[in-house]
Amino acid sequence: MTEESGNTLATRRGMLGMAGAVAGGVALSQMLADSASAATGSMKSTATRTISLAQAQRLAEAAIRYVRDHTTLPPMYVLVVDSAGETKASLRMDNNSPAAAALVPHKAHTARTYRAATADLATNIKDPAQIASHVASGASLLAGGRPIFENGQFIGALAVGGGTPVQDDEVARAALSAL
């Protein structure tokens, strides 16, 4: 192995190691924030607001209805999670892409964690190292994940998948109008 190829290899290994360290740090900080939030919430007299089952079902059904009303859209998978990241509602249309079953939960997790639309994150994150760290931590930069707010308070996240990124985000935005 030449010195040049050895340096390239070391640089790649270093970058992968750095990306892994960043991803681990992101995951650890989120876990600490979640546990601190949970600990603080348990001391309060009122529970943290989260999406209700009725609201989650209404959003999921609105997404499916929107797809059925717009026949050019492909079958979709819709997932609604509460503020803790637990599944509240899930509907998967017949003939939905098998890839959607793997991708949609990551979109919901990302929208919940960052309290931002995955489409917006994808637009704003351009640095390859940042992209690698997000993906390594299980985040998705594919459009279709959106946080859910009620009266300015975060209550959950919605994710849609099965079409193009533009179609997924279109359905997610339409569903949110049902809240």
Side-chain angles (χ1 to χ4, degrees):
M1 180 178 331
T2 67
E3 186 176 319
E4 182 177 285
S5 66
N7 286 341
T8 302
L9 183 59
T11 302
R12 286 184 187 149
R13 282 186 185 148
M15 289 180 71
L16 286 173
M18 180 67 76
V22 169
V26 168
L28 179 60
S29 66
Q30 182 60 42
M31 287 182 350
L32 291 173
D34 287 349
S35 64
S37 176
T40 303
S42 65
M43 292 181 196
K44 293 180 182 177
S45 60
T46 59
T48 301
R49 175 76 173 101
T50 193
I51 192 166
S52 70
L53 177 59
Q55 289 172 312
Q57 289 174 328
R58 189 167 54 243
L59 288 175
E61 290 166 0
I64 299 300
R65 196 169 36 256
Y66 184 85
V67 172
R68 288 187 177 139
D69 290 346
H70 295 82
T71 58
T72 59
L73 292 171
M76 297 284 182
Y77 172 36
V78 183
L79 176 65
V80 180
V81 297
D82 63 18
S83 60
E86 299 298 326
T87 299
K88 266 313 223 217
S90 174
L91 293 174
R92 188 165 179 231
M93 298 176 77
D94 294 340
N95 300 314
N96 174 251
S97 163
L103 298 172
V104 167
H106 293 285
K107 292 180 186 186
H109 163 75
T110 304
R112 175 201 163 265
T113 300
Y114 295 98
R115 290 172 171 67
T118 54
D120 295 343
L121 291 170
T123 299
N124 295 324
I125 299 173
K126 299 296 183 199
D127 178 55
Q130 283 184 320
I131 293 170
S133 69
H134 281 80
V135 172
S137 71
S140 175
L141 298 178
L142 297 172
R146 293 205 161 254
I148 304 167
F149 292 94
E150 181 179 62
N151 299 322
Q153 184 178 6
F154 174 77
I155 61 170
L158 165 79
V160 177
T164 66
V166 170
Q167 290 170 327
D168 293 352
D169 202 48
E170 173 188 347
V171 174
R173 283 183 288 114
L176 285 173
S177 68
L179 189 64

